[in-house]
Amino acid sequence: MEENQSVNGKYLDIYTRVSTDVQLEGESIQTQKREGIKKSKELGLTPRIWDEGSKSSKHEDLVNRPKLRDLLLEVDKGNVSNLFVWNTDRLSRNHQVWGLVRFKLFSSKVTLHTPTQVIDLENLTDNLLLGILKEISVYDNMLRSERSRVGKLEKVKKGYWKGGPPPFGYRIEEKRLVVDKEESKYVIKMYEMITKRKTTNDIQNMMNLSGFGTRHGKGSWNTQTIRKMLQNELYTGSYLYTDKKYEEQVRVKTPPIIDKSLFNEVQD
């Protein structure tokens, strides 16, 4: 994988991506662009930048990679001869996606450049080493994902919120659910209205006049959201968290808003 200054084509296509919004706010994207443009000058090629922005490698496919998808279409058309990436991880850490990318680059005889290397996929040694490096990258990505899953499960077991917006009636303090004094009053009213034979439409009207919005930022409440709240046992002081991979269930305690007898009456 020695650097080779003899290149074909007019352009150096530069693909940039970071894995998180935190990285996006830093200089990683700019660093990738800067190194790509530097490489284009060394090779005497015109830079063309394909900036994917912040796209996680978790559950990765081409659906959430529009820039990579467009780039591969140009590869298919024969419009790409030289491709620059900060490292091959930027293209993909997913077996299926990487296999497709690698096949297309090989079929179109695209030369792959990094800040320190040039990789000729038609060269057997280069191709072998690239495959080995990619297997290590995929393993590392799977390992980090597993650590993240286990870490989340352990935090949930200790009573920390599982993530995402807190249910209406709560707010988050120090990563734990605490009762919101004003919102919780309306949660109680919802349950009491059902025991008084009021309908979810009645509750909907009340909430639309309350001045409180839904957790998803929608302007008005709907009966489906209200039904889910009326069936959410979390309001009684606990909920079941299920680890999706191993289906392990954990009973997590929460500060109660609704008495269990009231909850059961509403369910009946």
Side-chain angles (χ1 to χ4, degrees):
M1 294 186 179
E2 298 296 330
E3 182 59 81
N4 183 353
Q5 297 297 322
S6 177
V7 296
N8 297 318
K10 178 180 179 182
Y11 298 101
L12 178 65
D13 289 276
I14 302 167
Y15 179 77
T16 61
R17 178 184 70 87
V18 292
S19 298
T20 66
D21 292 329
V22 174
Q23 288 178 313
L24 185 62
E25 292 168 0
E27 294 185 354
S28 182
I29 283 286
Q30 295 305 317
T31 298
Q32 293 176 44
K33 290 180 181 178
R34 185 167 57 247
E35 289 296 321
I37 293 171
K38 177 182 176 182
K39 180 62 65 177
S40 69
K41 292 179 180 178
E42 292 176 5
L43 300 175
L45 299 174
T46 301
R48 291 193 301 195
I49 296 175
W50 305 75
D51 183 13
E52 199 77 79
S54 174
K55 296 293 182 180
S56 173
S57 57
K58 185 178 182 181
H59 306 305
E60 177 188 285
D61 54 40
L62 289 178
V63 174
N64 68 346
R65 295 283 189 86
K67 290 296 182 180
L68 179 58
R69 192 168 63 242
D70 292 344
L71 174 60
L72 292 178
L73 289 175
E74 290 301 301
V75 170
D76 287 340
K77 295 175 184 177
N79 296 332
V80 177
S81 298
N82 296 277
L83 174 62
F84 174 90
V85 288
W86 177 253
N87 57 51
T88 56
D89 290 354
R90 299 306 89 197
L91 289 171
S92 178
R93 289 176 173 171
N94 174 281
H95 278 294
Q96 288 79 12
V97 175
W98 170 243
L100 174 64
V101 171
R102 187 176 177 182
F103 174 77
K104 286 183 176 293
L105 296 181
F106 173 80
S107 300
S108 299
K109 299 182 179 180
V110 175
T111 301
L112 189 60
H113 300 266
T114 71
T116 59
Q117 298 170 325
V118 57
I119 304 169
D120 180 5
L121 293 177
E122 290 190 291
N123 180 284
L124 294 179
T125 302
D126 282 6
N127 209 336
L128 174 62
L129 290 175
L130 184 61
I132 293 172
L133 290 173
K134 183 52 59 179
E135 288 299 321
I136 294 173
S137 173
V138 170
Y139 171 76
D140 179 64
N141 190 50
M142 293 173 66
L143 186 61
R144 288 189 294 107
S145 177
E146 182 66 8
R147 285 173 178 167
S148 176
R149 183 194 65 80
V150 172
K152 182 177 180 180
L153 181 60
E154 290 304 313
K155 287 183 178 179
V156 168
K157 287 180 178 179
K158 294 177 182 178
Y160 291 100
W161 177 235
K162 61 183 179 179
F168 185 84
Y170 295 95
R171 65 179 187 276
I172 297 176
E173 290 185 3
E174 298 181 352
K175 299 182 180 180
R176 297 176 185 269
L177 291 182
V178 296
V179 175
D180 184 284
K181 184 177 179 180
E182 296 303 318
E183 288 185 355
S184 62
K185 292 178 182 178
Y186 282 92
V187 175
I188 296 170
K189 284 182 180 180
M190 289 183 187
Y191 277 80
E192 290 178 341
M193 286 175 69
I194 293 297
T195 63
K196 296 175 182 177
R197 300 298 185 266
K198 299 294 184 181
T199 67
T200 53
N201 286 324
D202 294 326
I203 296 174
Q204 180 186 28
N205 293 333
M206 176 188 72
M207 294 309 299
N208 284 333
L209 294 173
S210 70
F212 289 104
T214 66
R215 278 293 183 259
H216 299 289
K218 296 179 180 179
S220 60
W221 288 74
N222 60 64
T223 55
Q224 183 178 3
T225 297
I226 293 167
R227 287 193 187 97
K228 287 181 179 179
M229 289 179 62
L230 292 170
Q231 295 173 325
N232 192 348
E233 66 171 345
L234 178 146
Y235 290 116
T236 67
S238 70
Y239 70 96
L240 273 178
Y241 174 82
T242 303
D243 178 84
K244 293 181 180 180
K245 184 173 183 179
Y246 295 111
E247 297 185 354
E248 178 182 353
Q249 288 192 325
V250 179
R251 175 65 64 176
V252 185
K253 291 185 178 181
T254 58
I257 293 177
I258 299 298
D259 183 84
K260 287 187 178 181
S261 60
L262 176 58
F263 179 82
N264 291 334
E265 184 178 355
V266 169
Q267 304 318 299
D268 292 340

